[in-house]
Amino acid sequence: MSYAIIGLGKIGTAIAQAFANQDIEVVVAGRRPLDASAAQIGPSIVARRLEDAVKADVVILAVPFANHRDIGRAAESWQGKIVIDATNAFGVPPEELGGLPSTAALAKSFPGAKVVKAFNHLPAAVLAQGSKTPQGGRRVVFISSDDGAASASVAALVERLGFAPIELGKIGEGGLLVQARGNTWAQLIFQDLAKFD
């Protein structure tokens, strides 16, 4: 399976570092060339153009929510791909989302993709601390999707990256716990939780 991260800001860099820590190859792309930034993170981080990055089997969106439509237009087809939504729509009026959770609204720009919400609930600085908490547990990453198989696939990736996946169910159900709505953060956003095996 091939992976790509679109956006190498603070969240994208933290996720890329998690891939580098496990020596898993991941393509990174953004609005500007990322060769130097990718090289600083590690040898398994490969900078490419956006048009190449969207060809990956799993594409992680680590961009401002407003940029998702541009990325949606960058691929000829999203059919069968997994798109991981790591964005937050804080400050976006609910009516602008058609009353939908932000991930469901975002999914419209990726027809045929299986969209999964993950990696959005922790601040970048916390995510950048890695998968292990100071107490020795594994840091929790919440996952939500309307596609059970895609959710399980992302849970397996989260596990491979060293984190503890917690599946919340469908986007409009348990997934609402990690969705910003207007100027309100959901209950599980900013919750730095650990799982002890």
Side-chain angles (χ1 to χ4, degrees):
M1 191 160 297
S2 57
Y3 303 100
I5 300 169
I6 310 297
L8 208 54
K10 292 177 181 176
I11 290 286
T13 298
I15 297 169
Q17 188 63 61
F19 275 83
N21 291 346
Q22 301 300 325
D23 199 31
I24 301 169
E25 185 173 297
V26 64
V27 166
V28 293
R31 288 189 225 172
R32 55 185 166 68
L34 298 175
D35 299 84
S37 300
Q40 286 179 339
I41 298 170
S44 66
I45 311 304
V46 182
R48 293 280 187 263
R49 297 176 324 126
L50 178 61
E51 296 76 18
D52 298 320
V54 296
K55 293 176 183 172
D57 300 318
V58 178
V59 176
I60 302 169
L61 301 178
V63 297
F65 178 80
N67 296 2
H68 74 272
R69 290 179 192 89
D70 293 337
I71 296 162
R73 290 188 285 268
E76 289 181 23
S77 172
W78 290 98
Q79 195 64 42
K81 294 181 183 296
I82 293 176
V83 172
I84 299 176
D85 174 19
T87 72
N88 278 310
F90 185 80
V92 177
E95 53 273 12
E96 196 174 305
L97 303 175
L100 298 170
S102 63
T103 300
L106 175 144
K108 292 180 177 185
S109 295
F110 302 89
K114 301 164 189 169
V115 178
V116 180
K117 187 75 162 177
F119 294 110
N120 71 300
H121 82 282
L122 291 173
V126 174
L127 192 57
Q129 293 171 20
S131 60
K132 300 288 184 231
T133 65
Q135 300 79 21
R138 289 187 300 143
R139 188 163 271 121
V140 166
V141 170
F142 293 111
I143 299 165
S144 173
S145 180
D146 293 342
D147 186 296
S151 184
S153 181
V154 172
L157 172 62
V158 166
E159 187 92 37
R160 198 171 159 205
L161 295 174
F163 294 90
I166 303 288
E167 295 186 65
L168 298 175
K170 295 190 176 201
I171 290 166
E173 296 171 1
L176 292 176
L177 296 170
V178 289
Q179 300 271 333
R181 184 163 178 83
N183 292 321
T184 305
W185 291 107
Q187 296 93 321
L188 291 179
I189 291 182
F190 306 130
Q191 298 299 312
D192 185 16
L193 305 175
K195 181 178 180 184
F196 294 87
D197 298 316

